[in-house]
Protein backbone atom coordinates (compact mmCIF):
# COMPACT_ATOMS: atom_id res chain seq x y z
CA UNK A 1 0.00 0.00 0.00
CA UNK A 2 1.37 3.41 -0.99
CA UNK A 3 1.70 5.85 1.89
CA UNK A 4 1.42 9.66 1.74
CA UNK A 5 2.98 11.70 -1.05
CA UNK A 6 6.16 13.69 -0.48
CA UNK A 7 7.47 16.48 -2.72
CA UNK A 8 11.23 16.98 -3.01
CA UNK A 9 12.28 20.31 -4.54
CA UNK A 10 15.94 19.89 -5.42
CA UNK A 11 17.26 16.42 -6.16
CA UNK A 12 20.95 16.70 -5.31
CA UNK A 13 22.86 14.73 -2.69
CA UNK A 14 20.52 15.62 0.20
CA UNK A 15 17.27 15.74 -1.76
CA UNK A 16 18.14 12.54 -3.58
CA UNK A 17 19.05 10.74 -0.37
CA UNK A 18 15.80 11.88 1.27
CA UNK A 19 13.85 10.66 -1.75
CA UNK A 20 15.53 7.25 -1.58
CA UNK A 21 15.06 6.95 2.19
CA UNK A 22 11.38 7.93 2.05
CA UNK A 23 10.74 5.70 -0.95
CA UNK A 24 12.23 2.80 0.99
CA UNK A 25 9.66 3.53 3.71
CA UNK A 26 6.85 3.29 1.17
CA UNK A 27 6.12 6.95 0.39
CA UNK A 28 5.24 8.13 -3.10
CA UNK A 29 7.82 10.70 -4.19
CA UNK A 30 7.28 13.58 -6.60
CA UNK A 31 10.29 15.73 -7.47
CA UNK A 32 11.33 19.02 -9.01
CA UNK A 33 14.81 20.04 -10.10
CA UNK A 34 16.18 22.47 -12.67
CA UNK A 35 18.45 19.58 -13.65
CA UNK A 36 15.88 17.51 -15.52
CA UNK A 37 18.25 14.57 -15.96
CA UNK A 38 18.45 14.03 -12.18
CA UNK A 39 14.68 13.65 -11.92
CA UNK A 40 14.54 11.42 -14.99
CA UNK A 41 17.25 9.18 -13.53
CA UNK A 42 15.33 8.96 -10.24
CA UNK A 43 12.17 8.00 -12.16
CA UNK A 44 14.05 5.29 -14.06
CA UNK A 45 15.36 3.92 -10.76
CA UNK A 46 11.84 3.76 -9.36
CA UNK A 47 12.56 6.36 -6.67
CA UNK A 48 10.43 9.19 -8.05
CA UNK A 49 6.89 8.58 -9.25
CA UNK A 50 6.21 11.92 -10.94
CA UNK A 51 8.25 14.87 -12.23
CA UNK A 52 7.07 18.38 -11.36
CA UNK A 53 7.83 20.68 -14.26
CA UNK A 54 6.90 23.97 -12.55
CA UNK A 55 6.46 24.60 -8.83
CA UNK A 56 3.89 27.29 -9.65
CA UNK A 57 1.65 24.43 -10.72
CA UNK A 58 2.18 22.28 -7.62
CA UNK A 59 -1.04 21.00 -6.11
CA UNK A 60 -2.02 20.80 -2.44
CA UNK A 61 -1.61 17.03 -2.33
CA UNK A 62 1.59 16.52 -0.33
CA UNK A 63 1.83 15.52 3.32
CA UNK A 64 5.39 16.88 3.35
CA UNK A 65 7.35 19.12 0.98
CA UNK A 66 11.13 19.38 1.31
CA UNK A 67 13.09 22.34 -0.08
CA UNK A 68 16.55 20.96 -0.88
CA UNK A 69 18.34 23.76 -2.74
CA UNK A 70 21.19 26.19 -1.87
CA UNK A 71 20.07 28.45 0.99
CA UNK A 72 19.85 31.67 -1.04
CA UNK A 73 17.38 29.93 -3.36
CA UNK A 74 15.21 28.51 -0.58
CA UNK A 75 13.04 31.53 0.18
CA UNK A 76 11.78 32.02 -3.41
CA UNK A 77 10.81 28.35 -3.49
CA UNK A 78 9.13 28.61 -0.08
CA UNK A 79 7.17 31.58 -1.42
CA UNK A 80 5.92 29.52 -4.37
CA UNK A 81 5.09 26.40 -2.38
CA UNK A 82 3.36 28.21 0.47
CA UNK A 83 0.95 29.83 -1.98
CA UNK A 84 -0.11 26.39 -3.19
CA UNK A 85 0.33 24.00 -0.27
CA UNK A 86 -1.87 24.84 2.69
CA UNK A 87 -2.57 21.48 4.31
CA UNK A 88 0.77 19.69 4.23
CA UNK A 89 3.98 20.52 6.09
CA UNK A 90 6.68 22.46 4.24
CA UNK A 91 10.26 22.22 5.45
CA UNK A 92 13.80 22.78 4.18
CA UNK A 93 17.26 21.31 4.69
CA UNK A 94 19.35 24.49 4.63
CA UNK A 95 22.46 24.89 6.76
CA UNK A 96 21.21 28.28 8.01
CA UNK A 97 17.81 28.86 9.52
CA UNK A 98 17.43 32.48 10.66
CA UNK A 99 16.62 34.07 7.29
CA UNK A 100 14.05 31.52 6.18
CA UNK A 101 12.40 31.19 9.60
CA UNK A 102 12.07 34.96 9.92
CA UNK A 103 10.60 35.05 6.42
CA UNK A 104 8.02 32.43 7.39
CA UNK A 105 7.08 34.45 10.49
CA UNK A 106 6.80 37.72 8.58
CA UNK A 107 4.62 36.10 5.90
CA UNK A 108 2.64 33.96 8.38
CA UNK A 109 3.52 30.66 6.72
CA UNK A 110 2.24 28.57 9.60
CA UNK A 111 2.88 25.20 7.96
CA UNK A 112 6.62 25.82 7.47
CA UNK A 113 9.07 24.20 9.91
CA UNK A 114 12.78 24.79 9.37
CA UNK A 115 15.04 21.75 9.20
CA UNK A 116 18.68 20.84 8.75
CA UNK A 117 20.19 17.34 8.58
CA UNK A 118 23.73 17.13 9.96
CA UNK A 119 24.63 14.67 7.25
CA UNK A 120 26.32 14.74 3.89
CA UNK A 121 29.52 14.06 2.04
CA UNK A 122 31.90 16.16 -0.01
CA UNK A 123 30.27 14.77 -3.17
CA UNK A 124 27.76 16.73 -5.24
CA UNK A 125 24.67 15.56 -7.10
CA UNK A 126 21.94 12.95 -7.20
CA UNK A 127 24.31 10.26 -8.47
CA UNK A 128 26.04 10.25 -5.07
CA UNK A 129 22.84 10.05 -3.02
CA UNK A 130 21.99 6.95 -0.96
CA UNK A 131 19.14 5.96 1.31
CA UNK A 132 21.24 5.37 4.46
CA UNK A 133 22.78 8.88 4.55
CA UNK A 134 20.65 9.99 7.51
CA UNK A 135 20.84 6.80 9.55
CA UNK A 136 22.06 7.83 13.02
CA UNK A 137 22.56 11.47 11.99
CA UNK A 138 21.37 14.45 14.00
CA UNK A 139 18.59 16.37 12.29
CA UNK A 140 17.77 19.85 13.61
CA UNK A 141 14.26 21.20 13.35
CA UNK A 142 13.57 24.83 14.22
CA UNK A 143 9.85 25.37 14.87
CA UNK A 144 8.47 28.81 15.65
CA UNK A 145 5.55 29.86 17.82
CA UNK A 146 3.27 29.70 14.78
CA UNK A 147 3.64 25.96 14.25
CA UNK A 148 1.05 23.49 15.44
CA UNK A 149 2.33 20.89 17.91
CA UNK A 150 0.79 18.11 15.85
CA UNK A 151 2.72 19.27 12.76
CA UNK A 152 5.98 19.32 14.71
CA UNK A 153 5.33 15.77 15.92
CA UNK A 154 4.44 14.60 12.41
CA UNK A 155 7.74 15.93 11.04
CA UNK A 156 9.69 14.42 13.93
CA UNK A 157 8.09 11.02 13.38
CA UNK A 158 8.81 11.15 9.64
CA UNK A 159 12.48 11.97 10.18
CA UNK A 160 12.88 9.35 12.90
CA UNK A 161 11.46 6.76 10.51
CA UNK A 162 14.57 7.16 8.31
CA UNK A 163 16.97 6.87 11.25
CA UNK A 164 17.47 10.50 12.25
CA UNK A 165 18.11 11.70 15.79
CA UNK A 166 15.83 14.75 15.81
CA UNK A 167 16.79 17.81 17.88
CA UNK A 168 14.36 20.70 18.32
CA UNK A 169 16.20 24.03 18.65
CA UNK A 170 15.80 27.80 18.31
CA UNK A 171 16.71 28.94 14.79
CA UNK A 172 19.19 31.63 15.89
CA UNK A 173 20.98 29.23 18.25
CA UNK A 174 21.11 26.72 15.41
CA UNK A 175 22.99 29.19 13.23
CA UNK A 176 25.53 29.87 15.98
CA UNK A 177 26.16 26.17 16.52
CA UNK A 178 26.53 25.31 12.85
CA UNK A 179 28.80 28.31 12.29
CA UNK A 180 31.22 26.92 14.88
CA UNK A 181 31.13 23.24 13.94
CA UNK A 182 30.60 23.50 10.18
CA UNK A 183 30.74 26.92 8.51
CA UNK A 184 34.04 28.22 9.95
CA UNK A 185 35.76 24.84 9.40
CA UNK A 186 34.82 25.04 5.71
CA UNK A 187 36.30 28.54 5.48
CA UNK A 188 39.50 27.38 7.19
CA UNK A 189 39.73 24.23 5.06
CA UNK A 190 39.40 26.27 1.86
CA UNK A 191 42.06 28.67 3.12
CA UNK A 192 44.53 25.85 3.70
CA UNK A 193 43.95 24.50 0.21
CA UNK A 194 44.19 27.97 -1.35
CA UNK A 195 47.61 28.40 0.31
CA UNK A 196 48.92 25.77 -2.08
CA UNK A 197 48.35 28.29 -4.88
CA UNK A 198 48.22 25.40 -7.36
CA UNK A 199 51.95 24.91 -6.89
CA UNK A 200 52.86 21.53 -8.32
CA UNK A 201 55.50 20.85 -5.71
CA UNK A 202 53.08 21.46 -2.80
CA UNK A 203 50.26 19.55 -4.44
CA UNK A 204 52.56 16.61 -5.18
CA UNK A 205 53.42 16.06 -1.54
CA UNK A 206 50.03 16.86 0.03
CA UNK A 207 49.51 13.53 1.75
CA UNK A 208 46.98 11.83 4.00
CA UNK A 209 46.95 14.35 6.84
CA UNK A 210 46.42 17.31 4.54
CA UNK A 211 43.76 15.47 2.57
CA UNK A 212 41.94 14.50 5.76
CA UNK A 213 41.82 18.03 7.15
CA UNK A 214 40.77 19.53 3.81
CA UNK A 215 38.36 16.84 2.56
CA UNK A 216 35.37 19.17 2.93
CA UNK A 217 36.89 21.63 0.46
CA UNK A 218 35.65 19.34 -2.31
CA UNK A 219 32.08 20.37 -1.42
CA UNK A 220 29.93 22.58 -3.65
CA UNK A 221 31.35 26.14 -3.97
CA UNK A 222 27.83 27.40 -4.72
CA UNK A 223 26.45 25.87 -1.54
CA UNK A 224 29.19 27.30 0.68
CA UNK A 225 29.11 30.74 -0.90
CA UNK A 226 25.38 30.84 -0.17
CA UNK A 227 25.85 29.61 3.40
CA UNK A 228 28.58 32.18 4.08
CA UNK A 229 26.37 35.06 2.92
CA UNK A 230 23.32 33.69 4.72
CA UNK A 231 25.14 33.38 8.06
CA UNK A 232 27.36 36.42 7.52
CA UNK A 233 27.12 38.14 10.92
CA UNK A 234 27.79 35.04 13.00
CA UNK A 235 30.58 33.93 10.69
CA UNK A 236 32.29 37.33 10.80
CA UNK A 237 32.41 37.17 14.61
CA UNK A 238 33.92 33.69 14.50
CA UNK A 239 36.51 34.67 11.89
CA UNK A 240 37.65 37.51 14.16
CA UNK A 241 37.90 35.11 17.10
CA UNK A 242 39.88 32.64 14.99
CA UNK A 243 42.26 35.36 13.78
CA UNK A 244 42.83 36.35 17.43
CA UNK A 245 43.59 32.73 18.30
CA UNK A 246 46.18 32.54 15.52
CA UNK A 247 47.67 35.88 16.56
CA UNK A 248 48.15 34.59 20.11
CA UNK A 249 49.79 31.44 18.81
CA UNK A 250 52.04 33.56 16.59
CA UNK A 251 53.16 35.62 19.61
CA UNK A 252 53.88 32.45 21.57
CA UNK A 253 55.92 31.13 18.67
CA UNK A 254 57.82 34.40 18.24
CA UNK A 255 58.79 34.40 21.91
CA UNK A 256 59.39 30.63 21.88
CA UNK A 257 57.05 30.22 24.84
CA UNK A 258 57.09 26.45 24.89
CA UNK A 259 54.46 26.08 27.63
CA UNK A 260 51.88 28.14 25.74
CA UNK A 261 52.63 26.36 22.45
CA UNK A 262 52.30 22.99 24.17
CA UNK A 263 49.05 24.09 25.81
CA UNK A 264 47.64 25.15 22.42
CA UNK A 265 48.06 21.64 21.03
CA UNK A 266 47.22 19.84 24.28
CA UNK A 267 43.88 21.62 24.67
CA UNK A 268 42.97 20.77 21.09
CA UNK A 269 43.87 17.11 21.60
CA UNK A 270 41.77 16.80 24.76
CA UNK A 271 38.70 18.36 23.12
CA UNK A 272 39.12 16.36 19.89
CA UNK A 273 39.56 13.09 21.78
CA UNK A 274 36.40 13.77 23.77
CA UNK A 275 34.42 14.51 20.61
CA UNK A 276 35.56 11.24 19.05
CA UNK A 277 34.92 9.29 22.27
CA UNK A 278 31.41 10.73 22.71
CA UNK A 279 30.61 9.95 19.09
CA UNK A 280 31.23 6.21 19.43
Amino acid sequence: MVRERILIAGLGLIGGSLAKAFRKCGYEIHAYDVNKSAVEKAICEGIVKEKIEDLDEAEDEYAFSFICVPVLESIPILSKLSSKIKNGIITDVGSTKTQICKYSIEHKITNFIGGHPMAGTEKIGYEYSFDALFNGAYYFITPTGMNRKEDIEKLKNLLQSIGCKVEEIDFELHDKITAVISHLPHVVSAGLVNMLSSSEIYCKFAGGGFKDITRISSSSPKMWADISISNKNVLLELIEAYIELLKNFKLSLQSENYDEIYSYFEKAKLIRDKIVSDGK
Side-chain angles (χ1 to χ4, degrees), residues 139-143 152-153 156 166-170:
Y139 199 119
F140 288 119
I141 62 169
T142 57
I152 297 170
E153 288 307 310
K156 282 183 178 180
V166 182
E167 292 282 334
E168 188 175 332
I169 193 171
D170 172 77

Side-chain angles (χ1 to χ4, degrees), residues 25-53:
C25 290
Y27 291 93
E28 180 179 306
I29 311 300
H30 294 190
Y32 165 84
D33 198 297
V34 292
N35 179 5
K36 306 298 182 184
S37 63
V39 182
E40 289 164 4
K41 180 175 175 60
I43 291 174
C44 290
E45 292 176 350
I47 303 300
V48 170
K49 176 73 172 179
E50 186 174 316
K51 176 170 64 175
I52 306 300
E53 296 284 356

Side-chain angles (χ1 to χ4, degrees), residues 209-223:
F210 188 86
K211 290 175 181 177
D212 286 345
I213 200 172
T214 60
R215 175 186 59 81
I216 54 178
S217 288
S218 290
S219 300
S220 165
K222 163 66 174 169
M223 179 176 74

